[in-house]
C-alpha cells in the first residue's frame, strides 16, 4: 500500500487523541480533532488511483466538515444540526461508494442477507423507539439520519457477502463501528449520559473510518492487481 506513512501517523495521532480524551482533556478537541481525518484523506489521495477514489474522498471530506462543526455543538443546537447534515452527506457518499464496488465471484447468500437485513432493521427500530420521547423537533432529522446510516450498514453487509476478503471484512466492521459510534452519541445526547462518552464515540469513529478506508483500498488493489 503506497504512502502507508499517512495511515501510520493517523494511528499514532488517534491513540494520542484518545488518551487525551480518556484523561478528560476534551478542551483540546479544537486543536487535535480537525487533524485526524485529513491524514486518512492524504493517504487515499496519494495512493494509487482507483475508480471510486473521488467518492471515498468526498465521504472523508464531509466527515471532516462534520467533525469541525460538531466542535461547536455546545454553543447552539444549529451546530449539531449542521454537523448532522454533513455526516448525512458523508453516509450517502459511503452508500454510493459501497454500491459501486466490484463484485466478487461468490454469489450472495439470500438467507444470510435476509437475516442481516432483519437484524439491522430491528436495531434501527429499537434505537428510534428508545430515543423518540426525547428528540423533540429533531424527530424527523434523526429518523432520516438513522435510516441512511442503517442503509450504509446494509450495503456494507451485502458487500461482505460478495466482495473479496479481507477488504470486505474491513469495510463491514468499519460500517458497524460507525453505527456504534453514532448510536453512543445519540444515546448519550437524547436518552441518558454515558460516562466518558466522548472517548467511546471517537474510539469507534476513528476505528470505523480507518477500517473503511483500508478496506476500500485493499478491495480495489486486489482488482487492479
Amino acid at each position: 500500500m503506497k504512502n502507508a506513512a499517512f495511515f501510520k501517523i493517523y494511528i499514532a495521532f488517534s491513540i494520542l487523541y484518545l488518551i487525551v480524551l480518556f484523561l478528560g482533556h476534551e478542551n483540546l478537541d479544537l486543536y487535535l480533532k480537525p487533524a485526524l481525518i485529513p491524514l486518512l484523506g492524504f493517504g487515499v489521495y496519494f495512493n494509487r488511483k482507483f475508480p471510486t477514489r473521488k467518492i471515498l474522498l468526498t465521504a472523508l471530506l464531509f466527515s471532516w466538515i462534520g467533525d469541525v462543526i460538531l466542535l461547536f455543538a455546545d454553543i447552539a443546537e444549529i451546530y449539531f444540526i449542521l454537523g448532522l447534515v454533513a455526516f448525512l452527506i458523508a453516509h450517502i457518499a459511503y452508500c454510493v461508494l459501497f454500491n459501486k464496488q466490484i463484485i466478487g465471484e461468490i454469489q450472495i447468500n439470500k438467507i444470510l442477507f435476509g437475516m442481516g437485513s432483519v437484524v439491522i432493521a430491528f436495531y434501527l427500530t429499537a434505537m428510534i423507539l428508545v430515543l423518540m420521547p426525547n428528540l423533540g423537533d429533531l424527530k424527523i432529522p434523526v429518523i432520516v439520519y438513522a435510516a441512511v446510516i442503517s442503509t450504509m450498514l446494509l450495503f456494507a453487509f451485502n458487500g461482505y457477502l460478495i466482495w473479496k476478503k479481507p477488504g470486505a471484512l474491513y469495510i463491514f466492521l468499519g460500517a458497524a463501528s460507525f453505527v456504534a459510534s453514532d448510536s453512543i452519541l445519540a444515546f448519550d445526547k437524547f436518552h441518558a449520559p454515558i460516562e466518558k462518552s466522548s472517548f467511546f464515540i471517537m474510539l469507534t469513529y476513528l476505528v470505523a473510518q480507518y477500517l473503511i478506508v483500508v478496506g476500500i483500498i485493499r478491495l480495489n488493489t486486489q482488482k487492479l492487481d
Side-chain angles (χ1 to χ4, degrees):
M1 187 182 295
K2 296 181 180 179
N3 297 293
F6 285 108
F7 298 115
K8 291 178 180 178
I9 295 171
Y10 172 83
I11 292 172
F13 202 76
S14 294
I15 292 173
L16 172 63
Y17 175 65
L18 290 171
I19 291 173
V20 168
L21 283 183
F22 188 80
L23 295 177
H25 301 296
E26 296 181 15
N27 56 311
L28 296 177
D29 255 7
L30 187 63
Y31 307 101
L32 299 177
K33 190 177 180 181
L36 292 164
I37 296 303
L39 289 170
L40 286 181
F42 287 132
V44 173
Y45 183 80
F46 290 109
N47 205 293
R48 182 166 58 174
K49 291 184 178 180
F50 53 90
T52 55
R53 188 179 70 160
K54 289 183 179 179
I55 303 175
L56 176 55
L57 288 172
T58 298
L60 290 173
L61 172 62
F62 279 97
S63 294
W64 177 78
I65 292 173
D67 283 342
V68 173
I69 294 175
L70 288 178
L71 289 173
F72 307 98
D74 291 337
I75 298 177
E77 192 172 78
I78 185 62
Y79 291 107
F80 177 78
I81 295 173
L82 291 175
L84 198 71
V85 171
F87 273 107
L88 179 67
I89 296 172
H91 287 309
I92 291 174
Y94 276 131
C95 287
V96 175
L97 177 69
F98 298 162
N99 193 47
K100 286 183 174 292
Q101 292 312 300
I102 58 174
I103 303 298
E105 298 176 356
I106 302 173
Q107 294 297 318
I108 188 170
N109 186 316
K110 293 182 180 180
I111 296 177
L112 281 179
F113 180 74
M115 291 173 61
S117 300
V118 170
V119 171
I120 293 171
F122 177 80
Y123 181 79
L124 169 65
T125 303
M127 279 297 296
I128 290 176
L129 290 176
V130 169
L131 300 176
M132 188 67 74
N134 301 313
L135 291 178
D137 295 335
L138 292 177
K139 281 187 176 68
I140 294 179
V142 170
I143 290 173
V144 171
Y145 184 89
V148 171
I149 193 171
S150 297
T151 302
M152 185 269 292
L153 179 59
L154 183 61
F155 281 164
F157 179 66
N158 177 66
Y160 171 73
L161 297 176
I162 60 177
W163 296 332
K164 293 182 179 179
K165 309 299 187 292
L169 178 60
Y170 291 163
I171 295 168
F172 173 64
L173 291 178
S177 295
F178 222 137
V179 171
S181 178
D182 283 343
S183 297
I184 296 170
L185 187 154
F187 194 90
D188 180 70
K189 181 176 179 62
F190 297 112
H191 187 72
I194 299 174
E195 187 176 356
K196 295 191 180 298
S197 59
S198 295
F199 171 78
F200 291 110
I201 290 168
M202 291 307 300
L203 172 63
T204 47
Y205 171 71
L206 294 173
V207 169
Q209 294 281 28
Y210 177 79
L211 288 177
I212 290 174
V213 167
V214 172
I216 290 293
I217 289 176
R218 285 189 176 235
L219 200 62
N220 284 274
T221 299
Q222 290 169 343
K223 178 183 180 182
L224 293 172
D225 291 342

